[in-house]
Amino acid sequence: MRLKSSKRIAAFVLIASLGGCANLERHNASAVSQADDDAYCQAHGGPQGSAAYVACRKDRDVAVTRSDRMERTHRDLAERMLNGQ
């Protein structure tokens, strides 16, 4: 009896802990990010159109692209793990 109870508790804990991993929705904040990038680059790079501003925006776009790629890779890995592949 006690063994069945501990197995149920262990199964419940496992399922509850994997619940956070199963969240495959993409957290997309690109609209907010665009406004933040513009404000950041104006403050740190200079006025719009300046070489420093353009370089800042390019650097931030590259960082977002890398982040999106890593997130997509992680999501694909999580889907494969959940599907048992």
Side-chain angles (χ1 to χ4, degrees):
M1 179 79 171
R2 184 166 235 160
L3 185 61
K4 287 183 180 180
S5 171
S6 63
K7 282 185 180 180
R8 286 183 183 161
I9 292 172
F12 177 75
V13 169
L14 179 65
I15 290 170
S17 66
L18 291 177
C21 296
N23 183 3
L24 300 176
E25 290 183 26
R26 184 159 189 259
H27 302 287
N28 189 359
S30 66
V32 173
S33 177
Q34 291 293 329
D36 289 345
D37 288 346
D38 185 52
Y40 178 85
C41 289
Q42 282 186 16
H44 292 90
Q48 286 184 348
S50 68
Y53 176 85
V54 172
C56 176
R57 287 301 298 252
K58 182 178 177 184
D59 291 343
R60 291 182 70 91
D61 286 344
V62 167
V64 167
T65 302
R66 275 192 200 130
S67 175
D68 287 348
R69 188 177 304 135
M70 286 191 302
E71 183 179 343
R72 188 175 333 113
T73 302
H74 182 262
R75 184 179 62 242
D76 291 346
L77 175 63
E79 287 178 4
R80 285 196 310 268
M81 290 173 66
L82 288 171
N83 292 328
Q85 297 176 351

